Amino acid sequence: MDTIDPSSRQRAALAKRYGEADVPALGPWSETLELLLSHRTLRGFSSAPLPANTLETLVAAASSASTSSNLQTWSVVAVTDHDTKVELAKVGANQKYIVECPLFMVWIADLSRNNRLGREEGMHLEGNDTLEMMLMASLDATLAAQNAAVAAESIGLAMCYIGGLRNDAARVAELLHLPPGAFAVFGMCVGTPKPGAPSEVKPRLPQSIVLHRETYKVGDEKALRTLYDQRMGVFSKRNDMAMQTWTQRVVQRLAKLSGMSGRQHLKETLIRLGFPLQ
Ligand SMILES: Cc1cc2nc3c(=O)[nH]c(=O)nc-3n(C[C@H](O)[C@H](O)[C@H](O)COP(=O)(O)O)c2cc1C
């Protein structure tokens, strides 16, 4: 039996997420919150097959997410075929866990269904051609995916999002036979953690940076960021990460367009994939 009292567990979970010095005031607590706070991305998967019907379970969780106007503008392609995963990994900067994981879920912003519905009903749905609908479909796909991610973690599985698929969204569309109006927002590796794979909870920006009360205030952001950099520096060293601080990571990722690894052309790619973005 677990003898640690709930408030100690809550404090410990918050300390892992924010660091000892930035634990926020303790509020209500639940097993769901404990699960959410213990999230960490895993990048090493065992070859063990998933329990029977895991995919259907994850999709049921995904389908239970809120969805704008109940339009449900998302789909997911479940990839288990080795060769397809190899090709997808080539798009995603050869991240080996794409091939390693037993289930690779590709989350789709899907306006193609509305296009088909419009055609079948004998009309052109003008609103479906807008930037707003591309954003709505991406939001729907993201919320669905995050529900699946939490569901996976709740049953002892691990996951890793793969935004690297947007390095070449057209190639992903080709590999997965996506119809016009469907676009892979990101992939998600799902599997059983490989023993020994690093899995430490990664500290986040303190609430004093991300939480604004009533109105947005920049306040002491710079000083607080320096403190977070120090915390991330210690974490990075312990976890053999290339970038030492969070500031370095942001700069390395965004200073040059070339750092976007092809995604700087996303607008043109989306238009080619059947999103007019009006
Ligand atoms: C949309 C999205 C795309 C991501 N793409 C990748 C990726 O291509 N490769 C990877 O290793 N991690 C990827 N990640 C995982 C993030 O790097 C990770 O969530 C972040 O570093 C925080 O770590 P944590 O999830 O362990 O807390 C992605 C996360 C999100 C939300």
Side-chain angles (χ1 to χ4, degrees):
M1 208 176 90
D2 198 342
T3 51
I4 305 171
D5 75 277
S7 69
S8 310
R9 289 190 10 204
Q10 176 176 15
R11 214 192 161 285
L14 287 163
K16 277 190 189 146
R17 183 53 73 203
Y18 292 113
E20 283 292 344
D22 276 312
V23 172
L26 303 196
W29 194 241
S30 69
E31 283 181 11
T32 305
L33 283 162
E34 188 149 11
L35 176 75
L36 290 172
L37 266 85
S38 68
H39 157 77
R40 59 264 192 215
T41 292
L42 226 97
R43 298 182 176 85
F45 297 92
S46 86
S47 55
L50 298 177
N53 308 324
T54 296
L55 174 61
E56 292 81 353
T57 302
L58 299 185
V59 173
S63 292
S64 302
S66 294
T67 159
S68 312
S69 304
N70 200 26
L71 295 192
Q72 306 177 56
T73 48
W74 64 275
S75 291
V76 61
V77 180
V79 180
T80 54
D81 177 69
H82 177 267
D83 294 347
T84 308
K85 286 191 288 178
V86 167
E87 291 306 311
L88 289 168
K90 285 182 193 165
V91 175
N94 289 311
Q95 299 181 80
K96 64 176 179 3
Y97 24 96
I98 299 176
V99 182
E100 200 176 61
C101 66
L103 172 63
F104 189 63
M105 302 178 82
V106 184
W107 296 90
I108 311 293
D110 192 357
L111 298 180
S112 78
R113 205 158 36 231
N114 291 346
N115 286 333
R116 291 192 291 279
L117 180 152
R119 275 199 301 278
E120 285 154 18
E121 298 300 316
M123 60 186 86
H124 174 72
L125 302 178
E126 290 178 357
N128 210 40
D129 292 343
T130 56
L131 173 63
E132 158 62 13
M133 282 307 297
M134 196 284 294
L135 178 61
M136 188 195 275
S138 301
L139 292 169
D140 273 2
T142 304
L143 295 177
Q146 180 60 15
N147 257 22
V150 173
E153 292 181 339
S154 78
I155 51 175
L157 298 176
M159 52 73 62
C160 178
Y161 280 111
I162 301 291
L165 291 191
R166 292 194 306 280
N167 293 354
D168 190 351
R171 174 67 180 144
V172 176
E174 180 183 43
L175 284 167
L176 303 182
H177 301 179
L178 301 184
F183 142 70
V185 187
F186 44 70
M188 182 193 283
C189 304
V190 180
T192 311
K194 190 190 260 178
S199 68
E200 195 180 332
V201 168
K202 192 182 279 182
R204 291 293 196 268
L205 289 169
Q207 291 199 355
S208 41
I209 287 191
V210 299
L211 169 61
H212 304 266
R213 296 184 191 269
E214 312 306 340
T215 56
Y216 194 108
K217 297 168 201 79
V218 175
D220 299 335
E221 185 178 81
K222 188 166 180 226
L224 293 166
R225 173 163 60 83
T226 305
L227 292 176
Y228 180 62
D229 274 342
Q230 286 165 7
R231 187 168 302 147
M232 277 305 291
V234 174
F235 176 90
S236 303
K237 224 176 235 159
R238 205 167 47 233
N239 287 275
D240 291 328
M241 283 165 52
M243 280 306 130
Q244 289 298 296
T245 72
W246 186 72
T247 298
Q248 283 172 347
R249 171 128 195 103
V250 173
V251 170
Q252 178 251 356
R253 188 75 171 69
L254 302 176
K256 296 269 176 240
L257 268 186
S258 55
M260 298 300 291
S261 312
R263 299 184 213 177
Q264 66 271 31
H265 307 300
L266 187 59
K267 184 174 164 193
E268 294 79 9
T269 307
L270 282 172
I271 291 171
R272 271 198 289 138
L273 291 177
F275 292 82
L277 306 181
Q278 284 165 5

